[in-house]
Amino acid sequence: MDGQGTERTDGTGGTGGTGSTGGTGGTESDGRVSGGGREDEDVPDIGPPRSPETDSSETDPPPPDTGPPRPPETDPRPPETDPPPPDDPRTGIAALSLPYRVGVALALAVVAVAVCVHLGMVFLHVAPANTVSKRHAATVDAWIYPEFEQNWKLFAPNPLQQNVAVQVRAQIRTPDGGERTTGWHDLSAADGRAIDGNPVPSHTQQNSLRRAWDYYVATHDGDNRATGPRGTLAETYVRRLVVLRLTREGVTGEGGVVERVQVRSSTSNVEPPAWSEEKIALEPVYRVLPWWQVPDEERAGGTG
């Protein structure tokens, strides 16, 4: 509208008039409003509104003057360091003292030498006859027999297919002066019962009776006559063994004395499997030896 001022409201709440074109309206200068040729009032010059996010010069005071930078303070004490990790604890032979380690090493060396010697002796025993085994036959036999005897019966083309049992009966003199004859006692069956269910049976329980009988058969013919100088030794061995077994098993009774013994073997063929067409006799075959007189020094238990 010509000749009249219009009011507006700025950011500070002040008022002023603005003139139109060709009139005497007021003009805005330096934050003051003039209208009609006169100055209404003084308005503080606050300038345009400022955003607090972009200008922080009036809100953040300048940092105080602290002078030149100081060097960092140093601790006169030496820096603490972590202790070194402990050494791994020793185990096994290394944990032993020096004398014990030397003893263990010597023991292992002795065991290694003994194992090598044993393997060498067994090899010479089972290997075909050669110059070394013939020259040292006595030494090899002394090492092998009776504990480490080896044979090839299990791996032979025709392995043993018979069960051989050694049985014995005896004439006992009773304390009142009488005599009685026992029945047949199956010593092989007793050995079988002793080792049945035993994971580590004794060598004597397994082989002493069997080896004694094999030794006797090898040194005697079909008529029980000795075929060499070892025949008498084999007979004595079997006799002492059966008397010892009878005494230990209490066959003689209290106060009884073994005067004579008679030994026999019972040989029966192993029954073939059901799918086999082989026909063999299953009835046992007996080999009966004559009565042997027991010397006085053997009657106490067969040991002489």
Side-chain angles (χ1 to χ4, degrees):
M1 183 179 296
D2 188 18
Q4 295 182 352
T6 59
E7 294 183 353
R8 66 182 181 87
T9 303
D10 56 12
T12 60
T15 60
T18 57
S20 62
T21 304
T24 60
T27 59
E28 182 176 358
S29 174
D30 296 332
R32 292 187 296 273
V33 181
S34 62
R38 62 184 182 87
E39 186 178 30
D40 295 335
E41 61 180 346
D42 294 335
V43 180
D45 186 6
I46 60 176
R50 299 178 179 178
S51 173
E53 290 80 2
T54 59
D55 189 0
S56 60
S57 59
E58 294 183 1
T59 59
D60 296 337
D65 186 8
T66 58
R70 298 179 181 179
E73 297 181 358
T74 58
D75 192 350
R77 296 175 298 177
E80 297 182 358
T81 58
D82 295 335
D87 296 337
D88 294 336
R90 296 181 176 181
T91 59
I93 298 178
L96 301 176
S97 60
L98 180 59
Y100 285 100
R101 279 184 283 175
V102 173
V104 171
L106 291 177
L108 292 177
V110 171
V111 171
V113 172
V115 170
C116 293
V117 172
H118 177 72
L119 294 178
M121 291 293 186
V122 173
F123 173 77
L124 292 176
H125 175 68
V126 300
N130 53 74
T131 304
V132 178
S133 62
K134 291 179 181 179
R135 182 175 181 179
H136 302 283
T139 304
V140 173
D141 291 345
W143 181 278
I144 294 297
Y145 293 106
E147 296 294 334
F148 307 114
E149 179 191 3
Q150 307 287 325
N151 59 68
W152 295 99
K153 290 182 179 179
L154 179 62
F155 304 101
N158 187 21
L160 187 63
Q161 299 181 12
Q162 294 176 328
N163 291 323
V164 181
V166 179
Q167 302 170 350
V168 62
R169 64 179 178 176
Q171 287 183 350
I172 308 297
R173 188 178 71 243
T174 58
D176 58 1
E179 290 186 356
R180 65 181 180 88
T181 302
T182 67
W184 291 102
H185 290 269
D186 195 335
L187 302 180
S188 297
D191 285 349
R193 291 190 297 269
I195 66 176
D196 187 22
N198 186 357
V200 286
S202 168
H203 180 74
T204 57
Q205 291 175 334
Q206 299 179 82
N207 297 319
S208 60
L209 181 63
R210 179 184 63 83
R211 290 296 299 127
W213 182 251
D214 289 346
Y215 187 32
Y216 178 87
V217 172
T219 56
H220 290 75
D221 59 16
D223 296 327
N224 300 318
R225 292 192 299 261
T227 57
R230 294 187 177 184
T232 303
L233 177 61
E235 179 180 329
T236 304
Y237 184 30
V238 173
R239 184 180 65 244
R240 289 189 175 189
L241 182 60
V242 297
V243 172
L244 176 63
R245 295 286 298 272
L246 290 173
T247 304
R248 287 182 176 179
E249 295 178 8
V251 177
T252 59
E254 185 176 359
V257 177
V258 179
E259 288 192 334
R260 295 199 306 166
V261 293
Q262 187 177 29
V263 182
R264 75 177 183 182
S265 66
S266 174
T267 304
S268 57
N269 295 318
V270 177
E271 185 176 1
W275 48 264
S276 175
E277 298 180 356
E278 183 181 4
K279 303 297 182 181
I280 59 174
L282 299 179
E283 293 78 12
V285 177
Y286 296 98
R287 177 175 179 174
V288 183
L289 307 187
W291 283 93
W292 291 334
Q293 188 70 30
V294 178
D296 293 339
E297 63 271 15
E298 297 180 10
R299 293 176 180 176
T303 57

